[in-house]
Amino acid sequence: MYMTLVKLVGPPQVPGENRPRAVVDKELTDDIPPTIDVEGADVATAIETAARPDGRQWLTLGSMDPASGHVMLVTLTNLGSGLERIELTERDDNGRLKYRRVDVRSGYMGYIAGEESEDGRGVKVNVVGPGTPISLAIAGPGDKAENVGLRVDDVIVAVNNQAVATPADIETALLNTEPSQVVNVEVERGSEAKSLTYQVKLSEHPLDLVRLAETAGADEIQGNLSRLSCLITLAQINKKKLARDKSSISGLKDPATLLWNVESTAGGKEQSADFSIEMSSAEMRAVGGHPVRLSRSYAVHAGSYVMEMEVNVKNLHSEPQKLAYRLEGVNGLTLEGWWYSNKTGPNWRGGAAARDIVFKKAVGAHELISGFTLLSEATDTPKDPMLPVFAATGSQSENELQYVGVDAQYFAVAYLPPASEPVFRDLSRVDAGIVADAEAVPRHKERAVNTSFVLDSQLIDIPAGGSVGRQVRVFAGPKDPVILEQYGLGDFIYYGWFWWAAKFLAWMLHGLYWGVGNYAVAIVLLTVIVRGAMFPLSRKAAINAQKMQELAPELKKIAEKYKDDMEGRLKAQRELNQRAGFNPMAGCAPMFLQLPVFIGLYRALSVDIELRQAAVSSSSPWASNLAGPDMLYYWGDWMMDYLAGRGTGWLGPYFNILPIIVVGLFLTQQKLFMPPATDEQQAMTQKVMNVMTLMMGLFFFRVPAGLCIYFITSSLWGICERVLVKKTLPTTKHFDEGILEGTATPVGKPSKPSLADTIRQRLNPPEEPIERPSKRRRPVAKKKR
């Protein structure tokens, strides 16, 4: 299958691109014999039927203009009539992009599908999306139409006074810019190379949900292939089948590598584009077929994350023929956060990767095939690298599919049947695989492998002039529960273990956010509420810890007495604990009760789309995404890859301050509240615990900033709670030497009388004893004589 064996390093070479029309026609008709009869037409008609466009074209659907009402900007191309890019352009209540790139802080001027100009003097502009900054740029004073917006075929020669020759040069020139900043873009226009300088006001980067691997920037992974999405080819022509390890039937030119005709486009609230291509008699005869016409259309609607797509195969011959088509899925889904995020899947077939294949049959549950599994399959069986998702066998209900798609952490793209049909019923099989060279994907970056799927239609006997087609709805948007439920995709959100805690905490978090307007403050309040609810248990744990400190000297004596008798030592310790009323496990209850809270909050941060892009403070770029690391400082350009590499490094390309604060508070808690060691073994255990805490800081260095805020708040609460609770603990008890032998019981100072005892004493004071005069007689003084 193309997903592993077609070693594409970029868009395939296109016959006829940038070459004279006559040369193209000659290439397509060299093998046509002079007596070919196509539905009674002569040779000239047959040649005309196979004519192809002279060059490659790009066009867009949707808009980035908030006034248009569109929430997507889709870039299409006539190369294979494929989909090249989907950007999400919805705005929030403040007018900002609701879903923007979280890993890019520089300004954005718009996607241009740029390529080096023929003379090498700059970068050729191939597409200008409506509402993008370059479409609104102004050249010189005034607002004349000819001075507004860059145009297709313009050549960008400089950005901010930096000369550019490749698309990468433009990215470099914009690297240190900021949204809302105005930059100068110098272009040359027309054959006379008219020079113009545009002032472009940059915007934030919209989330490019679907993009080519070669445009992924820092997220580009070696081994992933740049391939257009939604391509179509013929899966079977009469008896000739398309092999699973091939991209087209042997002997037939792959329609995905040919230039299609752009038939029509329409604008407004409902925008559409139609493409078509005819496979000539000469091209089809090599595989035992007759001429056919492949056509397709795309349509987007204002306010909708669903793009409608229709494919059609028409028999142009005077005799019937059996045909089936293959429709490829979307690939190149966003990789944002793949090096720090973790996604949980609903099954145990390998851990979830950054991009997984999900599907649901008419009978059955939502299932996920991990990108790890697909990569392993492609590595182990390169001749048959695909994993079957669906095959038309058995009963009719087993031959129906509700949806199939590619799933990322916060976004997804899925193929759905039309609204009038609850399931796909005319598919023969659906396969999943990777769009990558399996052997070239680097170690420790496997989770970023590019994945996709293919749909094969059933073989249909098409009469002369007849056609077979399929309507597909393509959902491409956020994993928002409200949006997903509208299309039956609610299972795309999976919380994993402690899902009940995750959903409840997410509900509480949204409620607190509604009250305070900041998710960081809401997390602090949520932590206080949770720890406050567990205060009775925490107080018991504090009492237990105090008893442990009091018993430490006695435990040390037991250890010395039973130095060589482990069984006797444990028995004596148990007896001591029983006499003192001490339960060593009582202090673990709060920790275990916090486990669902910890895991639930972590899952909520990893799943809830509302927490993505939620910032600690809107006035600072630091910690601008509570669902990701705080990213205080970028050190990936000078730190060694072993530590700072994306996916390969222990720490990642950013220095994060919040995990360091968390580790510092953990060590402080251990220092303040851990009882002194009674022997060398306990001393060593405490040292190991300190080292493990430091190691935990390395493993959790890339955890979400929101989770760090929870840990920090919880640790500060724990420290204050322990200090306050210690003042209200029962009177300290003292033990005499006999307790070791079991002959003495704890004795202590009399406890403080209760309020009831005080009142009772005042109402009934004890009678004072009456003093009686002494009966002893005074000595009588002697009289003087």
Side-chain angles (χ1 to χ4, degrees):
M1 185 59 195
Y2 76 90
M3 297 195 174
T4 53
L5 300 182
V6 179
K7 305 301 175 69
L8 300 174
V9 295
Q13 184 178 0
V14 182
E17 188 171 10
N18 300 322
R19 286 181 288 171
R21 175 65 172 270
V23 176
V24 179
D25 291 345
K26 184 177 186 302
E27 289 178 348
L28 297 175
T29 57
D30 276 344
D31 296 330
I32 297 181
T35 58
I36 288 291
D37 180 22
V38 180
E39 295 185 354
D42 56 16
V43 176
T45 304
I47 295 174
E48 185 65 22
T49 300
R52 309 273 160 72
D54 291 338
R56 190 171 176 185
Q57 302 174 45
W58 285 262
L59 59 155
T60 62
L61 300 178
S63 176
M64 195 173 170
D65 183 3
S68 69
H70 286 280
V71 297
M72 293 192 298
L73 178 57
V74 180
T75 302
L76 307 171
T77 176
N78 69 333
L79 174 59
S81 69
L83 184 149
E84 185 164 314
R85 191 177 180 91
I86 297 180
E87 296 172 288
L88 303 186
T89 60
E90 184 180 1
R91 306 281 172 158
D92 60 18
D93 295 336
N94 298 321
R96 298 183 64 185
L97 288 168
K98 188 172 183 179
Y99 305 112
R100 53 191 180 272
R101 296 257 320 249
V102 296
D103 57 341
V104 177
R105 298 176 180 176
S106 59
Y108 178 72
M109 70 177 192
Y111 181 64
I112 62 173
E115 59 183 357
E116 297 182 36
S117 60
E118 294 180 359
D119 57 6
R121 70 181 189 273
V123 179
K124 180 183 176 183
V125 177
N126 287 314
V127 65
V128 177
T132 57
I134 57 173
S135 72
L136 305 175
I138 298 177
D143 56 356
K144 296 181 180 179
E146 61 268 20
N147 292 337
V148 178
L150 275 72
R151 303 177 185 175
V152 173
D153 292 333
D154 281 350
V155 176
I156 300 176
V157 296
V159 176
N160 258 4
N161 300 320
Q162 297 184 35
V164 297
T166 65
D169 293 339
I170 296 179
E171 293 183 8
T172 302
L174 295 174
L175 188 60
N176 295 320
T177 61
E178 297 179 356
S180 299
Q181 180 178 339
V182 177
V183 299
N184 293 325
V185 177
E186 301 175 28
V187 304
E188 293 181 356
R189 177 174 296 166
S191 57
E192 298 179 357
K194 179 182 178 181
S195 180
L196 297 169
T197 300
Y198 282 88
Q199 285 75 48
V200 181
K201 185 178 181 180
L202 303 177
S203 72
E204 296 174 313
H205 276 261
L207 178 73
D208 40 0
L209 176 56
V210 177
R211 62 192 178 196
L212 297 175
E214 62 187 10
T215 63
D219 281 333
E220 182 178 355
I221 303 299
Q222 180 183 350
N224 283 343
L225 305 177
S226 263
R227 186 172 179 86
L228 297 169
S229 297
C230 305
L231 298 173
I232 184 174
T233 189
L234 293 172
Q236 186 169 349
I237 302 172
N238 296 321
K239 296 182 179 181
K240 193 80 169 182
K241 283 187 176 183
L242 171 59
R244 295 183 74 200
D245 61 342
K246 301 295 182 182
S247 60
S248 64
I249 295 177
S250 179
L252 178 69
K253 289 186 177 180
D254 186 359
T257 66
L258 301 176
L259 294 175
W260 291 43
N261 298 295
V262 180
E263 296 293 343
S264 64
T265 59
K269 295 294 183 180
E270 297 183 3
Q271 300 185 13
S272 62
D274 300 320
F275 300 88
S276 70
I277 190 172
E278 294 184 0
M279 307 301 292
S280 69
S281 296
E283 293 169 324
M284 295 293 292
R285 186 191 59 197
V287 290
H290 303 293
V292 297
R293 177 186 292 122
L294 305 178
S295 59
R296 71 175 322 146
S297 65
Y298 298 91
V300 298
H301 307 274
S304 176
Y305 282 108
V306 170
M307 177 177 63
E308 295 180 358
M309 180 172 62
E310 184 174 358
V311 298
N312 187 276
V313 181
K314 184 175 183 179
N315 179 13
L316 298 179
H317 197 58
S318 58
E319 297 180 2
Q321 58 179 328
K322 295 182 179 181
L323 298 173
Y325 62 86
R326 168 170 291 180
L327 178 63
E328 297 180 11
V330 171
N331 74 88
L333 219 62
T334 176
L335 273 176
E336 71 166 12
W338 70 269
W339 49 272
Y340 64 77
S341 62
N342 287 292
K343 187 156 62 75
T344 301
N347 53 41
W348 296 94
R349 289 192 295 174
R355 298 182 283 201
D356 306 303
I357 303 301
V358 290
F359 64 95
K360 187 176 184 179
K361 299 179 182 179
V363 178
H366 173 87
E367 296 187 51
L368 178 145
I369 302 179
S370 168
F372 291 115
T373 303
L374 295 174
L375 178 60
S376 176
E377 182 73 13
T379 304
D380 297 339
T381 57
K383 291 185 178 181
D384 190 12
M386 306 293 286
L387 278 176
V389 170
F390 164 89
T393 57
S395 63
Q396 178 63 32
S397 61
E398 294 177 351
N399 296 338
E400 298 174 342
L401 187 69
Q402 292 190 32
Y403 58 75
V404 59
V406 184
D407 178 66
Q409 184 179 14
Y410 293 110
F411 301 91
V413 178
Y415 279 7
L416 304 170
S420 59
E421 302 177 19
V423 292
F424 291 111
R425 289 193 175 92
D426 59 351
L427 300 177
S428 63
R429 68 179 304 113
V430 178
D431 289 334
I434 62 172
V435 188
D437 181 353
E439 297 180 356
V441 177
R443 187 181 178 188
H444 303 304
K445 294 185 178 182
E446 296 91 345
R447 70 188 316 266
V449 67
N450 194 10
T451 63
S452 189
F453 56 91
V454 295
L455 288 72
D456 287 355
S457 72
Q458 294 178 356
L459 183 65
I460 300 177
D461 194 352
I462 306 177
S467 62
V468 58
R470 157 56 56 191
Q471 293 180 344
V472 178
R473 290 182 299 165
V474 184
F475 172 83
K479 291 165 65 174
D480 184 308
V482 177
I483 296 177
L484 292 177
E485 289 295 343
Q486 297 177 14
Y487 306 104
L489 302 176
D491 290 334
F492 275 56
I493 299 178
Y494 181 75
Y495 288 96
W497 289 359
F498 301 113
W499 58 268
W500 48 271
K503 287 188 174 182
F504 178 71
L505 291 172
W507 175 79
M508 286 188 63
L509 202 56
H510 292 317
L512 293 170
Y513 171 77
W514 181 82
V516 299
N518 184 290
Y519 272 111
V521 177
I523 291 174
V524 173
L525 295 177
L526 177 64
T527 308
V528 171
I529 292 173
V530 172
R531 292 302 304 266
M534 292 191 300
F535 177 76
L537 292 175
S538 300
R539 186 174 185 277
K540 290 183 178 180
I543 295 174
N544 208 61
Q546 182 67 20
K547 287 183 178 180
M548 182 183 294
Q549 291 183 354
E550 295 169 1
L551 290 176
E554 308 304 325
L555 292 173
K556 185 175 181 180
K557 293 178 181 179
I558 291 176
E560 294 175 353
K561 182 176 181 180
Y562 298 96
K563 186 175 182 180
D564 299 325
D565 184 4
M566 179 61 67
E567 183 177 353
R569 183 195 304 181
L570 294 176
K571 182 179 179 181
Q573 289 177 350
R574 286 196 300 268
E575 293 176 352
L576 174 63
N577 292 337
Q578 291 176 357
R579 289 191 296 273
F582 172 66
N583 182 7
M585 299 302 295
C588 299
M591 180 181 65
F592 284 112
L593 287 177
Q594 284 191 68
L595 188 61
V597 177
F598 162 66
I599 297 180
L601 184 59
Y602 179 71
R603 294 307 309 150
L605 289 170
S606 301
V607 170
D608 199 326
I609 188 70
E610 294 298 329
L611 295 175
R612 179 189 174 274
Q613 291 183 185
V616 170
S617 173
S618 58
S619 61
S620 172
W622 171 72
S624 59
N625 175 23
L626 291 178
D630 62 89
M631 300 183 185
L632 178 65
Y633 170 70
Y634 182 78
W635 60 13
D637 51 359
W638 59 268
M639 178 76 75
M640 65 181 68
D641 189 72
Y642 179 77
L643 294 176
R646 292 175 182 260
T648 59
W650 281 81
L651 305 178
Y654 290 90
F655 170 74
N656 307 310
I657 188 64
L658 291 180
I660 294 179
I661 298 176
V662 170
V663 172
L665 288 173
F666 282 175
L667 291 174
T668 300
Q669 284 183 292
Q670 291 181 13
K671 183 71 174 177
L672 291 176
F673 308 127
M674 188 177 292
T678 59
D679 53 27
E680 294 182 359
Q681 183 178 359
Q682 288 190 7
M684 179 60 66
T685 301
Q686 293 181 4
K687 290 180 181 179
V688 170
M689 289 181 64
N690 290 333
V691 173
M692 289 179 63
T693 302
L694 293 174
M695 290 297 296
M696 185 181 65
L698 292 177
F699 287 113
F700 287 87
F701 193 75
R702 294 171 288 178
V703 299
L707 196 63
C708 289
I709 292 175
Y710 164 78
F711 278 135
I712 292 172
T713 307
S714 181
S715 297
L716 291 175
W717 174 281
I719 293 173
C720 295
E721 181 183 73
R722 188 65 64 88
V723 172
L724 294 175
V725 168
K726 190 173 183 179
K727 296 181 179 180
T728 63
L729 291 178
T731 307
T732 303
K733 295 182 179 180
H734 303 280
F735 301 90
D736 59 20
E737 296 291 339
I739 195 170
L740 294 177
E741 306 298 334
T743 59
T745 57
V747 296
K749 300 177 182 178
S751 60
K752 185 178 179 180
S754 65
L755 178 61
D757 293 336
T758 303
I759 295 175
R760 190 179 300 109
Q761 289 177 4
R762 291 184 178 182
L763 293 177
N764 301 300
E767 297 182 357
E768 297 182 359
I770 301 176
E771 293 187 7
R772 298 179 179 274
S774 176
K775 295 181 179 181
R776 190 173 52 182
R777 298 177 65 181
R778 293 183 179 180
V780 178
K782 295 182 178 181
K783 296 181 179 181
K784 294 183 180 180
R785 295 191 176 203

